[in-house]
Amino acid sequence: MKRQDAATVDARRIDPDAEPIVRMEKLNKHFGRLHVLKDIDLTVAPGEVVVIIGASGSGKSTMIRCINGLEEFQAGHLDVDGKVLEPYGKASRALQQIRTEVGMVFQQFNLFPHLSVLDNVTLAPMKVRHASRKHARQTAERLLKRVGIADQSSKYPAQLSGGQQQRVALARALAMEPRLMLFDEPTSALDPEMIGEVLDAMRELARDGMTMVIVTHEMNFAREVADRVIYIHQGEIVEQGTPDEVFDSPQNERTQSFLARVLTY
Amino acid sequence: MDVTFQFDWQAAFASIPYLLKGIPYTLLISFGGLAIGFLIGIFFGLLRISPMRWLRWPAVAYIEVFRGTPVLVQVLFIYYGLPQLLGGPIDAITAGIAAIAVNSGAYISEIVRGGVQSIERGQREAGLSLGLSRVQTFRYVIWPQAFRRMIPALGNQGIISIKDTSLFAVIGVGELVRQGQIYIATTFTALEVYLMVAVLYLAITLTLSIGLRMLERKGLVGQ
């Protein structure tokens, strides 16, 4: 990690007294008989970068997918940016509003294959925010440049590499000017040589003060950008703290054994 | 004994201007029926995948009934049967269009269902996560992709329905086969004329096939 990065990360201002963007209280979710999330308590402050780690099947993806209503929960409280999400996935005005203000990047990119790169990025601003084509286009070009994909805007997703596709997906989400970004294993489907470019784009976003909740297996990245690391085991938050606390002196033995398995560097 | 049969090319060609009079009817019934059938197919195809059982059930019933009965029986029912209910006659062309519509509609419902269901769940999630409504997600994300995947199956159904219209000679619509029958009644050149009838069907269906192939190739961009 570059010294300078650490300095900028530290300079980001997280106001602990500010109204949290995400507030989960005693959130419970079942898939049939499987209890996937057990009494999850989580608050995310504006500007905070939270990284969630844990084994596959531990419920970490499910947890962030609850935040924008892609998964329903059965019990507990969840509000996002002050808007309350009802249990059982009831479609509501609040859910719609939350989705316009929360961006998401998926493991499989999920770009729209029938639309050009530019149209992928301008679709939601034009249809949801009723931006003019010209304005949406300018925003898209600025964002594509920012994630390092200038001059490819007329291409189709299939013509891009995985790393490029994921960066377009990031630009697409940012075009809605979200207050919170969710990342669901954004580098897990990428070839190793393309992981770096996606992490770089995310790192820059964190540096600019975006509030982020990230599910990832990239432990070095987590240590570098996270304000807080959360370890989930079988649907429960077992441990959380600063990266130094969780990675260097984990208190819980399940965290210890998980880290012993994944921290191979 | 000499039994050599001489194929009478002259008779074959002579029948063509007469047969061509049937083509507008064949096309009108096929494409009129298919256009309505496509709308029916979208409607019931989407009901068929509704999460609500009371919406799904009528779609299943419609599809099973009209896919499970012959189009000939359907057109006879509409042309001879329905007037008894309605109290007035239905003209043969309307009956033909209606029969193709309800019949192809049942098959197209299943094509629509398959097309929409073939789109990966992540596409819907990406649309919703961007704040698009469910309707917008369907219209701008799911449907354009699903429609492209449906093109080959829709082409198939189009060709089948065009050929099905040949059955409607029995209710006296002046389509291709009917024109052939009338012509043969006076010239007794069944071999030549039916061959020409077949060639004309082939001309219509091949044109459609080629058109669809071009459409498909155009749709491949970005896939």
Side-chain angles (χ1 to χ4, degrees):
Chain A
M1 185 169 59
K2 283 174 280 179
R3 216 38 261 159
Q4 178 199 350
D5 287 351
T8 13
V9 168
D10 290 343
R12 295 184 328 113
R13 288 227 299 275
I14 302 164
D15 179 1
D17 298 327
E19 211 29 43
I21 288 197
V22 178
R23 185 166 22 208
M24 272 185 188
E25 283 159 13
K26 299 248 172 283
L27 199 82
N28 279 276
K29 173 168 180 64
H30 301 260
F31 276 130
R33 294 178 64 185
L34 191 67
H35 199 169
V36 203
L37 297 177
K38 298 168 189 162
D39 287 336
I40 297 282
D41 289 315
L42 170 76
T43 56
V44 179
E48 197 178 11
V49 175
V50 176
V51 170
I52 301 166
I53 59 172
S56 37
S58 59
K60 53 195 194 306
S61 286
T62 308
M63 183 171 132
I64 69 163
R65 285 162 57 87
C66 283
I67 295 174
N68 66 350
L70 290 182
E71 299 284 352
E72 58 176 52
F73 56 95
Q74 283 82 37
H77 173 86
L78 171 58
D79 70 68
V80 181
D81 203 22
K83 291 157 202 92
V84 177
L85 260 175
E86 302 289 331
Y88 293 100
K90 277 181 218 128
S92 64
R93 180 183 286 268
L95 174 60
Q96 187 74 25
Q97 285 176 340
I98 287 168
R99 283 174 173 164
T100 64
E101 282 158 31
V102 177
M104 188 166 204
V105 171
F106 299 86
Q107 183 176 354
Q108 301 294 339
F109 328 141
N110 295 345
L111 288 180
F112 307 135
H114 60 300
L115 299 179
S116 68
V117 164
L118 183 70
D119 290 342
N120 262 277
V121 182
T122 58
L123 179 68
M126 286 172 63
K127 300 302 175 193
V128 181
R129 299 238 192 260
H130 305 290
S132 70
R133 177 174 296 276
K134 188 171 163 235
H135 183 258
R137 197 191 171 101
Q138 284 169 349
T139 310
E141 278 165 358
R142 176 172 55 78
L143 288 169
L144 287 168
K145 196 172 160 195
R146 179 171 163 192
V147 297
I149 324 235
D151 314 321
Q152 316 257 21
S153 59
S154 59
K155 285 192 178 170
Y156 284 85
Q159 296 169 293
L160 303 179
S161 72
Q164 289 174 321
Q165 288 190 50
Q166 192 62 302
R167 285 181 284 146
V168 172
L170 178 57
R172 178 177 71 173
L174 292 176
M176 286 296 285
E177 295 170 359
R179 300 208 49 212
L180 165 69
M181 281 292 302
L182 307 175
F183 293 85
D184 189 3
E185 303 199 23
T187 57
S188 298
L190 293 173
D191 291 336
E193 74 270 22
M194 291 170 185
I195 291 175
E197 63 197 53
V198 171
L199 294 182
D200 282 343
M202 290 171 63
R203 196 175 281 128
E204 198 192 311
L205 194 61
R207 204 179 293 142
D208 290 349
M210 176 63 78
T211 312
M212 298 161 80
V213 181
I214 305 166
V215 170
T216 187
H217 293 291
E218 297 293 327
M219 297 301 159
N220 287 325
F221 176 75
R223 182 189 276 271
E224 181 187 338
V225 303
D227 297 305
R228 183 153 50 110
V229 175
I230 293 178
Y231 173 64
I232 291 200
H233 179 78
Q234 293 180 358
E236 280 178 280
I237 295 181
V238 168
E239 183 150 2
Q240 57 178 310
T242 64
D244 289 346
E245 287 165 357
V246 173
F247 289 118
D248 295 338
S249 50
Q251 302 301 305
N252 189 291
E253 69 183 63
R254 281 176 300 206
T255 319
Q256 290 162 4
S257 77
F258 173 75
L259 290 173
R261 274 178 283 125
V262 296
L263 295 180
T264 50
Y265 56 91
Chain B
M1 198 161 57
D2 187 13
V3 290
T4 347
F5 180 84
Q6 203 60 39
F7 185 89
D8 187 347
W9 284 105
Q10 201 142 19
F13 290 129
S15 70
I16 288 179
Y18 196 84
L19 296 178
L20 285 177
K21 287 195 287 184
I23 288 202
Y25 293 102
T26 295
L27 293 180
L28 174 67
I29 296 170
S30 311
F31 288 100
L34 282 166
I36 300 168
F38 186 53
L39 298 179
I40 293 175
I42 293 174
F43 181 73
F44 283 106
L46 296 184
L47 284 194
R48 178 75 182 72
I49 44 183
S50 161
M52 276 163 283
R53 196 180 317 155
W54 53 273
L55 285 177
R56 263 198 324 265
W57 194 86
V60 172
Y62 166 78
I63 293 165
E64 292 304 334
V65 166
F66 288 98
R67 203 175 52 168
T69 52
V71 67
L72 180 58
V73 174
Q74 289 163 7
V75 80
L76 291 173
F77 181 87
I78 292 168
Y79 187 63
Y80 295 112
L82 276 191
Q84 288 184 12
L85 282 178
L86 302 175
I90 294 175
D91 81 25
I93 293 172
T94 310
I97 291 174
I100 292 296
V102 294
N103 185 267
S104 69
Y107 286 96
I108 294 171
S109 298
E110 287 291 87
I111 295 171
V112 168
R113 174 173 79 96
V116 170
Q117 285 183 333
S118 77
I119 304 303
E120 301 70 23
R121 201 177 54 151
Q123 290 291 308
R124 183 168 183 272
E125 292 182 348
L128 293 177
S129 78
L130 285 166
L132 296 171
S133 68
R134 287 191 297 181
V135 173
Q136 287 176 322
T137 300
F138 181 78
R139 180 166 159 206
Y140 300 114
V141 177
I142 308 296
W143 180 254
Q145 298 183 60
F147 182 70
R148 271 168 213 193
R149 292 190 191 176
M150 284 158 48
I151 290 173
L154 286 174
N156 241 344
Q157 183 56 43
I159 287 169
I160 289 168
S161 290
I162 288 168
K163 293 184 299 175
D164 279 350
T165 63
S166 64
L167 295 165
F168 301 165
V170 298
I171 58 166
V173 185
E175 47 68 68
L176 247 173
V177 169
R178 181 78 184 138
Q179 299 294 349
Q181 289 174 334
I182 296 168
Y183 190 80
I184 292 162
T186 55
T187 61
F188 305 104
T189 49
L191 180 76
E192 290 82 358
V193 175
Y194 281 133
L195 183 71
M196 288 302 112
V197 168
V199 166
L200 289 175
Y201 274 111
L202 200 57
I204 298 172
T205 54
L206 279 180
T207 308
L208 182 65
S209 291
I210 292 165
L212 284 165
R213 203 158 303 151
M214 275 158 44
L215 192 66
E216 234 175 287
R217 201 165 303 152
K218 220 174 121 194
L220 281 179
V221 182
Q223 294 282 8

